[in-house]
Short mmCIF file of all heavy atoms in Angstrom, two decimals:
data_model
loop_
_atom_site.label_atom_id
_atom_site.label_comp_id
_atom_site.label_asym_id
_atom_site.label_seq_id
_atom_site.Cartn_x
_atom_site.Cartn_y
_atom_site.Cartn_z
N ALA A 260 -13.69 6.53 15.43
CA ALA A 260 -13.24 7.73 14.70
C ALA A 260 -12.54 8.67 15.68
O ALA A 260 -11.49 8.33 16.23
CB ALA A 260 -14.43 8.39 13.99
N GLU A 261 -13.13 9.84 15.89
CA GLU A 261 -12.45 10.81 16.73
C GLU A 261 -13.45 11.70 17.45
O GLU A 261 -14.65 11.68 17.20
CB GLU A 261 -11.48 11.67 15.90
CG GLU A 261 -12.13 12.45 14.79
CD GLU A 261 -11.08 13.06 13.87
OE1 GLU A 261 -10.36 12.31 13.17
OE2 GLU A 261 -10.99 14.29 13.82
N TYR A 262 -12.93 12.47 18.37
CA TYR A 262 -13.72 13.44 19.14
C TYR A 262 -13.69 14.79 18.44
O TYR A 262 -12.86 15.02 17.57
CB TYR A 262 -13.12 13.60 20.54
CG TYR A 262 -13.17 12.37 21.41
CD1 TYR A 262 -12.00 11.68 21.74
CD2 TYR A 262 -14.37 11.91 21.92
CE1 TYR A 262 -12.03 10.56 22.54
CE2 TYR A 262 -14.41 10.78 22.74
CZ TYR A 262 -13.24 10.12 23.04
OH TYR A 262 -13.28 9.00 23.84
N PRO A 263 -14.59 15.73 18.77
CA PRO A 263 -15.61 15.61 19.82
C PRO A 263 -16.78 14.69 19.41
O PRO A 263 -17.09 13.75 20.13
CB PRO A 263 -16.10 17.05 20.04
CG PRO A 263 -15.03 17.91 19.46
CD PRO A 263 -14.44 17.14 18.33
N VAL A 264 -17.44 14.92 18.28
CA VAL A 264 -18.50 14.07 17.77
C VAL A 264 -18.45 14.15 16.25
O VAL A 264 -18.36 15.25 15.69
CB VAL A 264 -19.90 14.53 18.25
CG1 VAL A 264 -20.99 13.64 17.64
CG2 VAL A 264 -20.00 14.52 19.77
N VAL A 265 -18.50 13.01 15.58
CA VAL A 265 -18.47 12.98 14.12
C VAL A 265 -19.89 12.81 13.60
O VAL A 265 -20.54 11.80 13.87
CB VAL A 265 -17.60 11.84 13.60
CG1 VAL A 265 -17.65 11.75 12.09
CG2 VAL A 265 -16.15 12.03 14.07
N THR A 266 -20.36 13.82 12.85
CA THR A 266 -21.71 13.76 12.29
C THR A 266 -21.70 13.71 10.77
O THR A 266 -22.77 13.73 10.15
CB THR A 266 -22.54 14.97 12.76
OG1 THR A 266 -21.89 16.18 12.32
CG2 THR A 266 -22.71 14.99 14.27
N ALA A 267 -20.53 13.64 10.16
CA ALA A 267 -20.45 13.56 8.70
C ALA A 267 -19.18 12.81 8.30
O ALA A 267 -18.14 12.95 8.95
CB ALA A 267 -20.47 14.94 8.06
N GLU A 268 -19.28 11.99 7.26
CA GLU A 268 -18.17 11.23 6.74
C GLU A 268 -18.12 11.34 5.23
O GLU A 268 -19.16 11.26 4.57
CB GLU A 268 -18.31 9.75 7.12
CG GLU A 268 -18.38 9.49 8.61
CD GLU A 268 -18.72 8.04 8.94
OE1 GLU A 268 -19.01 7.26 7.99
OE2 GLU A 268 -18.73 7.70 10.13
N LYS A 269 -16.93 11.52 4.71
CA LYS A 269 -16.78 11.54 3.26
C LYS A 269 -17.11 10.16 2.67
O LYS A 269 -17.05 9.15 3.36
CB LYS A 269 -15.36 11.94 2.87
CG LYS A 269 -15.01 13.39 3.22
CD LYS A 269 -13.56 13.70 2.90
CE LYS A 269 -13.21 15.13 3.29
NZ LYS A 269 -11.78 15.44 3.06
N GLY A 270 -17.44 10.16 1.39
CA GLY A 270 -17.68 8.92 0.68
C GLY A 270 -16.38 8.37 0.14
O GLY A 270 -15.63 9.07 -0.53
N GLY A 271 -16.11 7.11 0.43
CA GLY A 271 -14.88 6.48 -0.06
C GLY A 271 -15.03 6.02 -1.49
O GLY A 271 -16.13 5.96 -2.05
N GLY A 272 -13.92 5.70 -2.09
CA GLY A 272 -13.95 5.20 -3.46
C GLY A 272 -12.57 4.87 -3.96
O GLY A 272 -11.56 5.09 -3.28
N THR A 273 -12.53 4.34 -5.19
CA THR A 273 -11.26 3.93 -5.80
C THR A 273 -11.28 4.27 -7.28
O THR A 273 -12.30 4.08 -7.95
CB THR A 273 -11.03 2.42 -5.62
OG1 THR A 273 -11.03 2.09 -4.23
CG2 THR A 273 -9.70 2.00 -6.24
N VAL A 274 -10.17 4.75 -7.77
CA VAL A 274 -9.92 4.85 -9.21
C VAL A 274 -8.73 3.94 -9.49
O VAL A 274 -7.62 4.20 -9.05
CB VAL A 274 -9.61 6.31 -9.63
CG1 VAL A 274 -9.25 6.35 -11.11
CG2 VAL A 274 -10.79 7.21 -9.34
N ALA A 275 -8.99 2.85 -10.19
CA ALA A 275 -7.94 1.87 -10.47
C ALA A 275 -7.80 1.70 -11.99
O ALA A 275 -8.79 1.55 -12.69
CB ALA A 275 -8.25 0.53 -9.82
N VAL A 276 -6.57 1.75 -12.46
CA VAL A 276 -6.29 1.54 -13.88
C VAL A 276 -5.09 0.63 -13.99
O VAL A 276 -4.24 0.56 -13.08
CB VAL A 276 -6.00 2.86 -14.62
CG1 VAL A 276 -7.16 3.85 -14.47
CG2 VAL A 276 -4.71 3.50 -14.14
N THR A 277 -5.00 -0.07 -15.11
CA THR A 277 -3.83 -0.90 -15.39
C THR A 277 -3.06 -0.35 -16.56
O THR A 277 -3.64 -0.07 -17.62
CB THR A 277 -4.26 -2.35 -15.71
OG1 THR A 277 -4.92 -2.91 -14.57
CG2 THR A 277 -3.05 -3.21 -16.05
N ILE A 278 -1.77 -0.12 -16.35
CA ILE A 278 -0.87 0.18 -17.46
C ILE A 278 -0.51 -1.16 -18.09
O ILE A 278 0.20 -1.98 -17.48
CB ILE A 278 0.41 0.90 -16.98
CG1 ILE A 278 0.07 2.09 -16.08
CG2 ILE A 278 1.25 1.33 -18.17
CD1 ILE A 278 -0.67 3.21 -16.73
N PRO A 279 -1.02 -1.46 -19.27
CA PRO A 279 -0.93 -2.83 -19.81
C PRO A 279 0.40 -3.14 -20.48
O PRO A 279 1.06 -2.23 -21.02
CB PRO A 279 -2.07 -2.87 -20.81
CG PRO A 279 -2.20 -1.47 -21.30
CD PRO A 279 -1.83 -0.57 -20.15
N LYS A 280 0.74 -4.42 -20.47
CA LYS A 280 1.90 -4.86 -21.23
C LYS A 280 1.65 -4.74 -22.72
O LYS A 280 2.57 -4.40 -23.48
CB LYS A 280 2.24 -6.31 -20.85
CG LYS A 280 2.75 -6.50 -19.44
CD LYS A 280 3.06 -7.96 -19.16
CE LYS A 280 3.61 -8.15 -17.74
NZ LYS A 280 3.85 -9.58 -17.43
N ALA A 281 0.43 -5.04 -23.11
CA ALA A 281 0.08 -4.93 -24.53
C ALA A 281 0.19 -3.47 -24.96
O ALA A 281 -0.43 -2.58 -24.37
CB ALA A 281 -1.33 -5.45 -24.76
N GLY A 282 0.99 -3.22 -25.96
CA GLY A 282 1.16 -1.85 -26.45
C GLY A 282 2.23 -1.06 -25.75
O GLY A 282 2.48 0.10 -26.12
N ALA A 283 2.89 -1.65 -24.75
CA ALA A 283 3.95 -0.92 -24.06
C ALA A 283 5.14 -0.69 -25.00
O ALA A 283 5.42 -1.49 -25.90
CB ALA A 283 4.41 -1.70 -22.83
N VAL A 284 5.84 0.38 -24.78
CA VAL A 284 6.98 0.75 -25.61
C VAL A 284 8.16 -0.20 -25.34
O VAL A 284 8.42 -0.59 -24.20
CB VAL A 284 7.39 2.21 -25.30
CG1 VAL A 284 8.76 2.53 -25.91
CG2 VAL A 284 6.34 3.17 -25.81
N VAL A 285 8.84 -0.57 -26.39
CA VAL A 285 10.09 -1.32 -26.27
C VAL A 285 11.23 -0.30 -26.41
O VAL A 285 11.39 0.31 -27.48
CB VAL A 285 10.22 -2.41 -27.35
CG1 VAL A 285 11.57 -3.11 -27.23
CG2 VAL A 285 9.08 -3.40 -27.22
N PRO A 286 12.00 -0.06 -25.37
CA PRO A 286 13.05 0.97 -25.44
C PRO A 286 14.11 0.66 -26.47
O PRO A 286 14.39 -0.50 -26.78
CB PRO A 286 13.63 0.97 -24.02
CG PRO A 286 12.62 0.26 -23.17
CD PRO A 286 11.94 -0.72 -24.06
N ALA A 287 14.70 1.69 -26.98
CA ALA A 287 15.82 1.52 -27.92
C ALA A 287 17.02 0.93 -27.17
O ALA A 287 17.19 1.13 -25.96
CB ALA A 287 16.20 2.87 -28.52
N PRO A 288 17.85 0.17 -27.86
CA PRO A 288 19.03 -0.42 -27.20
C PRO A 288 19.88 0.64 -26.51
O PRO A 288 20.19 1.69 -27.10
CB PRO A 288 19.78 -1.07 -28.36
CG PRO A 288 18.71 -1.36 -29.38
CD PRO A 288 17.75 -0.21 -29.28
N GLY A 289 20.20 0.39 -25.24
CA GLY A 289 21.03 1.32 -24.48
C GLY A 289 20.29 2.48 -23.86
O GLY A 289 20.88 3.25 -23.10
#
């Protein structure tokens, strides 16, 4: 890690989502 001394660390995590093909908009021509 780093100096001088590390005595605390944040908690890691992930927020993951999928923008699905199902239900996606079909754009108008042009």
Side-chain angles (χ1 to χ4, degrees):
E261 60 190 66
Y262 296 110
V264 178
V265 176
T266 59
E268 300 172 355
K269 293 176 182 177
T273 302
V274 175
V276 304
T277 298
I278 310 295
K280 291 180 179 178
V284 168
V285 177

